[in-house]
Amino acid sequence: MTYRAPVSEMLFALRHVAGLDTVLGDDLTPDDARTILDEAARIADEVIAPLNRSGDRHGTPFVDGAITTAPGWRDAYRTWTQGGWNGLSADPDHGGQGLPLLLNAACTEMWNAASIAFGLCPLLTAGGIEALAQHGSEDLKARYLGRLVSGEWTATMNLTEPQAGSDLALLRSHAEPVGDGRYRIVGSKIYITYGEHDLTDNIVHLVLARLKDAPAGTRGISLFLVPKILPDGSGNDLRCSGIEHKLGIHGSPTCSMAFGDQGGAIGWLIGEENRGLACMFTMMNSARLNVGLQGVGIAERATQGALAYARERRQGRAPGAQGPSAIVEHADVQRMLLTMRAYTAAARGICYLTAAALDGAKGPEGQAAHDRASLLTPVAKAFSTDIANEVTSLGVQVHGGMGFVEETGAAQHMRDARILGIYEGTNGIQAIDLVTRKLPLKGGATVRAQIASLRRVAEGLMKDADPAYGHLGARLRAGIESLDRATSFQLAALASNRPETALAGATPYLRLFGLVQGGACLALEARAARAALQAGETDPAHAGRIALARFFAENELTAAAGLADSVIDGGAFTEAAALALAG
């Protein structure tokens, strides 16, 4: 099953959920946005998507320190970069096009729906561009930003070490100054996406390491730019020491990197000494939204494949049918397909809202939009990747036995999606971040403002009083009250110095937040669709949008009250955990 970017659905969400028309400003129109997305869809559909299967089968052979990507990948990458897609939202001063992050978010969804393994390479480069642009010296910017923005060179993120995992306080890689602003870096890193490849001549590694006598823990970490090829054209003292053999994303090389076998890899400091983690978080926060968009993309592709199969596969007899029916006519298959489509659309809305908030932070709204983006980012990352795992699993189920074999591609989607809830901060870490760092923003005012915005969506639905909504308005309103109740509990736990109570309910709280925020996104689309129908538009997709929002509210949002109970009452498990898990 090939992929076709759902440009109309994406554009509808961009405009009616994320406020694209406001983000575009005076220089771009919605028609311009449509033209950009149509061209991006052509590249995704015709250039990248056909390589997804071959990338999975070919993998990334590692021979004599070199990695070979699948046939056709280098040409596809060249076509993609020549189209200017790598610098879509980058600063024009560095060769970018300066378009809104919101438009780039939609394109990122397309690249990763076409092939997550392919889309991972520019995803890391985008984070490197942002970190360097915000924290790099003028000399480093002049030397590297233009080539990263164009895609001539790519970037990586080197955090993890064999003994450290997510605990960066345990990093052992070290650096020492050697004069002229240069440092020698020695150490080993693992799980480095595209740490070595044949798509570009140079790879710019962003590496966390410690200086001598640096403070202990994360306060003593610095960030360094360590290129594969030095400015004089010579090779740096670094190498790929091996690649991982993985469950999925086989087309993407995941490398172990060795720095300093011959005395030290040459690098340059980014930002201030011992402030590297703050610089790296610039890269990680960008990557977390993009990983959420990866989840949306793979969920969309799995949904398209399952729906196409269900329309063709004939088995059993639906009520009232005279002969064998396509399985899409069976109620339980319809339930699975609607669940897949609704979760995908809900996650898309959350990710687009997050991107719009990041755009807003650069405008008059400033800090308030920045805080809203900070609140939404862990939800965008974790909820979207959780549903990616659920949707791709349902995709296999819809295919039945044909989903369990590799022939249909459904199994690959499920394998590829599994990493999304793990890398760039596991979803458990996202839940901890949401509860302990983002809820307390502005004394809880940021999350309260977000809940107030959700209430306005529910009030609009109730005011419409359209029978086509079914219980949409009531279910959304009940979900918001559950979220409000759980939020008050979490804030009170933090205020009374009971962090273990807040942490015990962090994961169900994030799920609750995602369900309610996603339901509100679908409700906004339903209201916009209703208005279009009342204005005389005849697009059948409008009735489908209303039906999808209703399905989500009546079948998925009903879990909100139970999740709130888990947040409030479920924390007692920590008292019995040692006993229950003993032995």
Side-chain angles (χ1 to χ4, degrees), residues 256-480:
S256 300
M257 300 296 300
F259 295 89
D261 285 349
Q262 306 302 319
I266 298 298
W268 289 265
L269 183 69
I270 294 179
E272 301 176 17
E273 291 185 354
N274 305 324
R275 295 296 304 275
L277 203 56
C279 301
M280 185 62 86
F281 266 114
T282 298
M283 191 175 190
M284 290 178 68
N285 284 332
S286 170
R288 284 172 175 175
L289 172 57
N290 286 333
V291 170
L293 289 161
Q294 286 189 302
V296 176
I298 195 67
E300 173 64 38
R301 186 159 190 176
T303 300
Q304 289 188 20
L307 182 57
Y309 181 81
R311 286 170 173 165
E312 295 173 358
R313 172 65 168 159
R314 307 187 75 82
Q315 183 173 318
R317 184 173 299 179
Q322 300 302 310
S325 303
I327 62 172
V328 74
E329 298 177 26
H330 295 293
D332 193 58
V333 175
Q334 292 172 344
R335 176 191 58 79
M336 289 190 286
L337 292 169
L338 283 167
T339 300
M340 295 172 74
R341 176 163 281 180
Y343 270 128
T344 302
R348 176 181 292 129
I350 295 171
C351 288
Y352 288 1
L353 273 178
T354 308
L358 290 168
D359 282 320
K362 301 175 183 177
E365 194 180 359
Q367 188 63 44
H370 179 272
D371 290 343
R372 186 166 65 255
S374 296
L375 175 71
L376 291 174
T377 293
V379 183
K381 193 278 183 183
F383 182 77
S384 300
T385 56
D386 278 343
I387 69 95
N389 279 290
E390 295 168 27
V391 168
T392 54
S393 179
L394 282 171
V396 171
Q397 191 72 21
V398 170
H399 280 80
M402 289 301 294
F404 196 68
V405 298
E406 296 289 348
E407 180 181 339
T408 60
Q412 182 190 343
H413 300 328
M414 187 175 176
R415 289 188 286 103
D416 286 350
R418 191 60 191 89
I419 186 60
L420 300 180
I422 298 173
Y423 62 23
E424 301 309 333
T426 67
N427 286 358
I429 289 175
Q430 302 307 311
I432 292 169
D433 177 52
L434 174 64
V435 168
T436 63
R437 296 182 66 241
K438 304 306 171 56
L439 291 192
L441 283 172
K442 298 292 188 293
T446 300
V447 68
R448 294 297 186 197
Q450 193 64 22
I451 291 173
S453 73
L454 297 173
R455 283 201 171 96
R456 289 192 290 273
V457 176
E459 289 166 2
L461 289 169
M462 303 303 288
K463 183 178 179 180
D464 289 345
D466 192 322
Y469 290 162
H471 297 291
L472 170 57
R475 294 290 181 268
L476 179 58
R477 187 168 59 183
I480 294 166

Side-chain angles (χ1 to χ4, degrees), residues 3-92:
Y3 167 70
R4 289 290 178 264
V7 173
S8 293
E9 288 304 312
M10 297 169 76
L11 192 59
F12 199 84
L14 287 168
R15 297 189 68 185
H16 299 292
V17 174
L20 176 66
D21 294 11
T22 301
V23 171
L24 290 176
D26 298 328
D27 297 331
L28 289 171
T29 68
D31 286 341
D32 294 329
R34 177 76 193 221
T35 299
I36 293 167
L37 295 184
D38 279 341
E39 180 59 18
R42 185 187 69 80
I43 297 295
D45 298 351
E46 299 177 9
V47 177
I48 302 174
L51 301 176
N52 189 51
R53 192 73 176 274
S54 63
D56 184 61
R57 290 177 170 176
H58 181 273
T60 54
F62 177 63
V63 179
D64 296 330
I67 288 173
T68 305
T69 54
W73 280 48
R74 292 183 68 185
D75 290 339
Y77 182 77
R78 189 176 301 111
T79 297
W80 186 80
T81 54
Q82 288 174 350
W85 298 107
N86 199 60
L88 196 68
S89 60
D91 191 328

Side-chain angles (χ1 to χ4, degrees), residues 104 156 167 234 239 242 255 268 270 292 302 333 336 390 443 482 517 526:
N104 193 53
T156 71
D167 190 353
S234 63
R239 63 185 175 87
C255 304
W268 289 265
I270 294 179
V333 175
M336 289 190 286
E390 295 168 27
S482 293
Q517 184 65 69

